[in-house]
Amino acid sequence: MIDKLNALNKDTLMETLGITYTHFDGDMLRGEMQVTPAVHQPFGLLHGGATAVLAETLGSFLSSMQYDPKDNKMAVGTNLNVYHLKSVRSGKVTADASFVRKGRSMHVLHIDVYNEEDDKIAYAVLTTQIVERKE
């Protein structure tokens, strides 16, 4: 299942930033991103925007995964708040997305982001709207 999820990142921002999914259990999705100069801000720290991309990616994807592809539904982010708690210069960050509320047309998700020492470096709250997928 994880290999199929990661294959969806091809030719996307997630591939550009090196975001990969590592665990999925239905109500939680975990992913990671290497902290390299590609995701740094000018002072050599993990860019807050890259952290936001990681959080929104995991939350939106987890939200969309609640539907069978035959349902022709997907989730789109409508609001994202990211709280940066600690800086990171290198290594890997890991994020866990889980539900706060799972409604029929709206989901609220909480995403925690950790460094390699398991310190929480950021957390985010994401609201997604469930919409019809247009091909």
Side-chain angles (χ1 to χ4, degrees):
M1 174 67 148
I2 292 296
D3 289 338
K4 288 180 183 179
L5 297 179
N6 284 314
L8 296 172
N9 284 350
K10 184 166 175 41
D11 298 325
T12 67
L13 179 60
M14 287 72 73
E15 181 179 52
T16 300
L17 297 183
I19 295 171
T20 57
Y21 309 107
T22 60
H23 177 79
F24 172 65
D25 70 8
D27 284 326
M28 192 274 285
L29 180 63
R30 177 174 293 140
E32 60 188 33
M33 178 176 64
Q34 292 295 321
V35 181
T36 66
V39 296
H40 280 170
Q41 41 91 309
F43 302 108
L45 302 173
L46 174 61
H47 194 292
T51 305
V53 170
L54 176 63
E56 184 158 355
T57 296
L58 291 172
S60 293
F61 207 81
L62 177 61
S63 192
S64 288
M65 291 171 64
Q66 302 307 299
Y67 299 93
D68 186 298
K70 295 177 222 155
D71 292 339
N72 208 33
K73 294 186 179 192
M74 64 182 226
V76 294
T78 59
N79 189 38
L80 176 67
N81 292 298
V82 182
Y83 302 87
H84 304 284
L85 308 173
K86 189 172 184 175
S87 62
V88 177
R89 290 186 179 276
S90 62
K92 172 180 68 177
V93 292
T94 301
D96 293 333
S98 59
F99 289 98
V100 174
R101 181 178 188 282
K102 195 183 328 180
R104 283 188 318 227
S105 62
M106 182 185 77
H107 296 166
V108 179
L109 301 104
H110 180 92
I111 304 97
D112 287 318
V113 185
Y114 298 92
N115 64 15
E116 289 182 318
E117 289 75 39
D118 215 24
D119 299 321
K120 188 184 293 188
I121 63 135
Y123 72 93
V125 178
L126 172 68
T127 304
T128 61
Q129 176 102 26
I130 309 307
V131 298
E132 287 292 316
R133 182 185 310 257
K134 294 183 179 163
E135 305 280 333

